[in-house]
Amino acid sequence: MATGAYVNKPDRRIRHLHDILTCGPRTFDTVVVGAGVVGLAICRALALEGQHVILLEAEKAVGTHTSSRNSEVIHSGIYYTPGSLKAKLCIDGRQRLYEYCDSHHVPYNKLGKLLVAVHDDQIAKLKGFLENGKKNGMTDLEWLDGPAVRELEPDLHCVAALRSPSTGVISSQKLMESYRKDAEQHGAVVAFNCEVVSGQVSGRVKTLQVKDRETGQTSTIHAHTVVNAAGLYAQSVACSLQGLPQQTIPEAFLARGHYCTMEGMPPFKRLIYPMPETWGLGVHLTLDLEGRARFGPDVEWIDKVEYKTSPEICDKFYPVIRQYWPGLPDGSLKPSYSGIRPKVVGPGKPGKDFVIQGPKDHGIKGLVNLYGIESPGLTSSLSIGELVMQMLLHNKEAPGSVSGGEQRD
């Protein structure tokens, strides 16, 4: 059963953590917690620098949460606040990612995107995104009036649009598999079913207590550096680490988004995005690598990690989608999956940038915590990996986060 952008299957190569540690050392250069796309990219970057890395994942496969349950879009950088981590890492990461996909044969399609204004009072906002994109260094954005848009997409209703030719879609599963392969070929160890239950990080050598979820056995791992890239559970992991000032841990909020698919093939060749909402991009239309349509996500604030959807979601989506695609056939939508975005602020508050904390933030050498790594995390993954590697090996600090660097999924 599909759980998101792809089918999550338990990794058949799983070995129990006790067996891994029995066959090798219990002390590593770095422990990375969380095998989502960002954790894998960090593990890869460190392994390529010759570090002996172990990557701990609590689930049975890579990327079972946010990394797989999303739109699989390579973002261009239109929306993010200039100077924010999201803007810098997205723009740099996009170029790195396309180059990586070409050299490592990861499937993608740079099909472009249209950000549309469906009525005249949205034109000023659309012009604002054009200027914002330019401030972020985007040089390929193109302004199109209604007739010019319809020459490209005859079934699309809008009065104007921004065309972003550098937006694309990717196989998140293949990307994560490639990151893992690179890391393992350079000596990294990836361990599944491994839940960090406690740790001590204030000393020169860090200590983690790790529970094997299958056997119930707890093992001790030592490392000189630790990276907390646990995504939805980053705050929980951080709270378990003795020596970490608790006031440095931001509050965690969860925003669930639902997706629908449709029967048959859509008439569009590009991604179609309406004007963004406060906490997301609205119900947009994306295409997978086979050209099939996917609609979503909406935003629902929840208290716990729980994935569910229902046929009623489609009823909610029809009127929203028909604002830009009036010809959407009745009965064509069906519920598909849901995903959850890790937030560091809740509803009704201004959006926040990525939070990447090093010693200047929490006072602990050799520890990096990543919070609120939502979209454009996939697009930014190689740049985040490079940044964290530089923080750990070369004492570089992450640039300060910028208020309002809020994602647009």
Side-chain angles (χ1 to χ4, degrees):
M1 177 180 176
T3 60
Y6 69 95
V7 177
N8 293 105
K9 296 180 180 179
D11 195 296
R12 297 183 182 276
R13 296 170 290 179
I14 288 178
R15 292 184 295 157
H16 294 301
L17 179 62
H18 175 75
D19 298 332
I20 292 173
L21 299 179
T22 300
C23 298
R26 288 176 176 261
T27 300
F28 295 83
D29 292 324
T30 304
V31 174
V32 178
V33 183
V37 67
V38 169
L40 285 160
I42 293 168
C43 178
R44 172 187 177 273
L46 290 165
L48 263 59
E49 290 296 311
Q51 296 291 290
H52 188 205
V53 186
I54 184 168
L55 175 58
L56 304 177
E57 170 54 49
E59 307 294 346
K60 297 181 179 181
V62 299
T64 61
H65 292 288
T66 307
S67 296
S68 62
R69 297 170 172 270
N70 59 70
S71 302
E72 295 189 297
V73 172
I74 300 175
H75 290 285
S76 58
I78 295 174
Y79 308 101
Y80 315 113
T81 303
S84 67
L85 285 175
K86 287 182 177 179
K88 293 175 182 177
L89 295 171
C90 178
I91 297 295
D92 180 69
R94 168 170 50 83
Q95 184 61 35
R96 289 176 182 259
L97 187 55
Y98 279 130
E99 292 174 356
Y100 180 89
C101 290
D102 286 335
S103 62
H104 289 73
H105 308 292
V106 175
Y108 73 90
N109 186 2
K110 191 189 290 187
L111 35 66
K113 156 182 161 178
L114 293 172
L115 172 61
V116 302
V118 297
H119 40 73
D120 289 337
D121 61 5
Q122 292 183 337
I123 289 180
K125 190 174 183 180
L126 187 65
K127 289 181 178 178
F129 284 123
L130 175 61
E131 294 306 311
N132 196 78
K134 290 179 178 178
K135 290 178 182 178
N136 283 338
M138 298 183 64
T139 60
D140 59 355
L141 289 177
E142 181 182 3
W143 180 274
L144 302 173
D145 60 18
V149 174
R150 283 183 285 280
E151 287 185 12
L152 298 177
E153 300 288 1
D155 290 87
L156 183 61
H157 167 72
C158 68
V159 294
L162 285 184
R163 177 174 173 263
S164 169
S166 56
T167 300
V169 292
I170 189 172
S171 167
S172 58
Q173 180 188 22
K174 295 296 184 183
L175 179 64
M176 289 187 284
E177 289 174 353
S178 185
Y179 284 173
R180 178 184 176 183
K181 180 179 179 181
D182 286 350
E184 290 181 329
Q185 286 180 340
H186 287 82
V189 177
V190 181
F192 296 99
N193 298 314
C194 291
E195 178 183 356
V196 174
V197 294
S198 64
Q200 173 57 254
V201 295
S202 58
R204 185 179 64 84
V205 177
K206 324 299 181 189
T207 301
L208 298 180
Q209 301 296 322
V210 183
K211 178 183 177 181
D212 188 315
R213 284 184 164 181
E214 282 199 346
T215 67
Q217 187 170 7
T218 299
S219 301
T220 301
I221 297 178
H222 305 285
H224 298 290
T225 58
V226 172
V227 178
N228 172 13
L232 298 174
Y233 300 97
Q235 281 88 339
S236 296
V237 170
C239 288
S240 75
L241 302 179
Q242 297 180 35
L244 176 65
Q246 297 296 292
Q247 67 270 20
T248 67
I249 304 172
E251 191 174 356
F253 298 89
L254 304 174
R256 179 166 60 202
H258 304 89
Y259 291 84
C260 292
T261 55
M262 66 170 287
E263 296 179 359
M265 300 297 285
F268 303 104
K269 299 178 181 178
R270 297 162 185 83
L271 312 186
I272 310 298
Y273 278 60
M275 282 292 103
E277 300 172 349
T278 303
W279 283 104
L281 293 187
V283 178
H284 48 268
L285 183 158
T286 59
L287 304 172
D288 64 18
L289 292 175
E290 285 72 44
R292 296 185 295 257
R294 186 184 319 172
F295 300 91
D298 57 356
V299 177
E300 178 188 9
W301 294 95
I302 57 176
D303 297 324
K304 63 180 180 179
V305 176
E306 184 178 38
Y307 301 105
K308 63 179 181 179
T309 189
S310 68
E312 289 73 26
I313 292 297
C314 298
D315 296 333
K316 176 182 174 182
F317 278 20
Y318 277 110
V320 179
I321 297 167
R322 282 173 173 157
Q323 292 183 36
Y324 57 85
W325 183 20
L328 175 66
D330 289 336
S332 59
L333 296 181
K334 56 183 179 179
S336 183
Y337 63 96
S338 64
I340 300 174
R341 286 156 279 181
K343 302 281 189 179
V344 291
V345 291
K349 296 183 180 180
K352 289 279 286 187
D353 200 1
F354 289 154
V355 179
I356 302 178
Q357 293 182 349
K360 77 171 184 179
D361 304 295
H362 49 57
I364 300 173
K365 186 175 181 180
L367 174 67
V368 175
N369 288 313
L370 298 94
Y371 304 110
I373 309 298
E374 48 178 338
S375 180
L378 187 153
T379 304
S380 307
S381 56
L382 287 170
S383 293
I384 295 174
E386 174 71 16
L387 173 59
V388 173
M389 181 274 291
Q390 293 286 344
M391 293 173 69
L392 291 177
L393 302 188
H394 304 292
N395 298 316
K396 179 179 179 179
E397 286 294 344
S401 298
V402 174
S403 177
E406 160 68 352
Q407 79 95 33
R408 306 290 180 149
D409 223 13

